[in-house]
Amino acid sequence: MACPFNQQMGSCPFAEANREHEENGHSLMKDVVQASLDPMFGLFEDGTIGEANDPAVQLFGYTYEEFIGRDITSICPKAREVQSVLRFMHAPHKNKQQLTTAINKSGRELSIQLGLSLNQGASKELVYFAHMKDLTEFEAHKSEIEHKDNLCQAMINASFDAMFAIDQRGKILVVNEAACQAFGYTEGEFVGQNISIICNER
């Protein structure tokens, strides 16, 4: 639409209004992103990053300036797909979460929980927020526990003597074939029971 005022008569009110709407939208994006304690990005509708916070800088290794204008798929390929779903649903304040992976600047793959929400500012502009929680250490710890559990199971199974693995309350977690034969219970009957069924204190 042509501006009813020329440059000699002053600034165009339509241009000023559009500029104000854009500034308000970016202000909302910045305020929300910077308030988060976890890595968070503000996204435009085309998937480019408009805002990033310090936790995101620390997690991914990019500077704030390197983040701005970068496509979110270069960091988290799944984010763009989730953003498209939200846009199709057109559901402001709707939040979708899922486990996926992200890639930091050095190329290292990270396990993350991705939360992506769609908000509508005062200017009716759609603003997306990508919230990421690093699960890498949790996944590594989980793998370590699983490895120890498998090792424990293998050691017990390899024993010719009756052996059990129990928790702090005495609940049977693992039992070997020798124990089943010695006490006449099946593995399914043993697991989950308290060790007191075969070893009562008197």
Side-chain angles (χ1 to χ4, degrees):
M1 179 182 292
C3 179
F5 297 92
N6 58 32
Q7 292 182 349
Q8 294 179 345
M9 296 182 65
S11 61
C12 172
F14 296 106
E16 289 293 335
N18 287 336
R19 189 178 303 112
E20 183 178 350
H21 285 165
E22 290 177 0
E23 289 176 354
N24 289 339
H26 190 268
S27 177
L28 168 67
M29 180 185 289
K30 183 174 183 178
D31 290 345
V32 173
V33 170
Q34 296 302 330
S36 176
L37 298 178
D38 289 317
M40 180 178 275
F41 300 92
L43 307 177
F44 294 114
E45 198 161 359
D46 63 357
T48 58
I49 298 172
E51 190 63 39
N53 62 2
D54 288 341
V57 170
Q58 295 172 8
L59 177 62
F60 291 100
Y62 292 93
T63 64
Y64 175 84
E65 291 73 20
E66 288 174 324
F67 270 136
I68 304 306
R70 179 180 291 272
D71 195 299
I72 190 63
T73 56
S74 66
I75 299 165
C76 181
K78 196 70 175 179
R80 190 75 176 113
E81 180 183 325
V82 177
Q83 184 184 13
S84 298
V85 172
L86 283 175
R87 185 169 60 247
F88 176 76
M89 293 170 62
H90 194 72
H93 309 296
K94 179 73 174 179
N95 187 295
K96 290 186 70 64
Q97 296 187 8
Q98 66 181 94
L99 299 179
T100 184
T101 57
I103 304 169
N104 68 9
K105 188 175 181 179
S106 66
R108 181 188 174 201
E109 189 174 274
L110 308 172
S111 296
I112 64 165
Q113 181 181 44
L114 169 67
L116 205 141
S117 61
L118 167 62
N119 289 264
Q120 197 169 53
S123 63
K124 304 302 181 183
E125 180 184 10
L126 298 181
V127 179
Y128 299 84
F129 297 103
H131 176 276
M132 300 182 186
K133 192 171 187 66
D134 184 17
L135 302 178
T136 305
E137 291 186 5
F138 170 78
E139 291 295 332
H141 183 60
K142 181 180 176 182
S143 296
E144 182 181 351
I145 291 176
E146 290 177 349
H147 173 71
K148 289 181 177 179
D149 286 345
N150 291 335
L151 183 60
C152 176
Q153 178 75 66
M155 291 173 61
I156 290 176
N157 287 340
S159 175
F160 291 107
D161 297 321
M163 291 188 67
F164 300 85
I166 61 175
D167 65 11
Q168 293 179 339
R169 297 183 177 181
K171 184 172 73 173
I172 298 172
L173 304 176
V174 179
V175 61
N176 65 357
E177 181 61 29
C180 293
Q181 293 178 359
F183 294 99
Y185 291 90
T186 65
E187 181 181 359
E189 291 172 330
F190 260 137
V191 175
Q193 296 294 323
N194 194 281
I195 193 67
S196 62
I197 64 171
I198 61 167
C199 186
N200 285 317
E201 290 188 8
R202 297 186 180 276

